[in-house]
Amino acid sequence: MASNLDLFGDDAPAQAGGVALGPQSVVLRGFALPRVEALLAGVDAVTARSPFRHMETPGGYIMSVALTNCGALGWTSDARGYRYTRQDPLSGQPWPDMPDAFVELARAAADEAGFPGFAPDACLVNRYAPGSRLSLHQDRNERDYSAPIVSVSLGMPAVFLFGGDARGDRASRTPLFHGDVVVWGGADRLRYHGVLPLKDLPHPRLGSARINFTIRKAG
């Protein structure tokens, strides 16, 4: 499926409806497209206060994906481990507020996927360049696993890996395109997931970059 990425234009695959990944996980094709300009303005507002940076893993590796955060809590990584903090470690100031456009999209997508009443308090904003990847992992730093994860894709296409509850379980490969939103929770909340290394397939609006933000209830 990954080899089909270069056959499509910008938003050609974003047909209406959802693609089920599991019993409580779905790709909502093109769901964010009507809100793209507001979302990108939100990214600019967040990064003006808390710029993208490449964090260090507890094992001493530098992450290939640049990231920042917004909301009451922000995800961070360094030699001390993975955790949420209320302050940006670079500035010592609170993370920027989560833009209204992010919150509204997250609630609408969660409701569409069968998770009404979503009340997010954290958003991890990732910037991928060609070759950037995200290894298989679980989102386990949140206190409450009853809330879903809402993941928004903008810019270059990517191949999303969605595995099982164990790291060694076989992972499906699903192309994600500009405007797609993935929601997973419930029985699928702790499934391993990741992103294959990005191919350089520039997007008309964002060039050789993919912006992805995952919106969560962390506290």
Side-chain angles (χ1 to χ4, degrees), residues 44-117:
D44 289 343
V46 168
T47 56
R49 285 187 51 198
S50 289
F52 285 114
R53 75 291 305 261
H54 293 272
M55 291 188 177
E56 181 182 353
T57 70
Y61 296 98
I62 301 300
M63 298 178 65
S64 66
V65 177
L67 60 88
T68 187
N69 292 276
C70 58
L73 296 168
W75 185 88
T76 61
S77 173
D78 57 26
R80 292 181 293 164
Y82 305 121
R83 63 196 182 280
Y84 281 96
T85 65
R86 294 191 176 274
Q87 287 81 34
D88 181 344
L90 287 185
S91 67
Q93 299 298 312
W95 294 104
D97 292 338
M98 195 183 310
D100 290 343
F102 288 23
V103 177
E104 292 165 3
L105 174 63
R107 288 175 174 166
D111 188 66
E112 180 74 12
F115 298 99

Side-chain angles (χ1 to χ4, degrees), residues 113-192:
F115 298 99
F118 184 40
D121 59 7
C123 176
L124 173 62
V125 186
N126 298 303
R127 184 184 65 197
Y128 290 75
S132 297
R133 62 186 293 271
L134 193 62
S135 59
L136 283 172
H137 66 283
Q138 293 173 301
D139 289 339
R140 300 185 62 92
N141 299 125
E142 298 76 23
R143 292 184 178 179
D144 184 358
Y145 297 154
S146 66
I149 303 290
V150 176
S151 178
V152 183
S153 293
L154 300 175
M156 290 202 305
V159 177
F160 182 60
L161 301 173
F162 201 60
D165 294 328
R167 185 182 296 277
D169 291 346
R170 183 180 179 85
S172 64
R173 299 185 176 194
T174 302
L176 297 180
F177 300 91
H178 181 67
D180 287 350
V181 179
V182 186
V183 184
W184 67 96
D188 292 331
R189 173 60 179 75
L190 290 177
R191 288 176 64 168
Y192 278 84

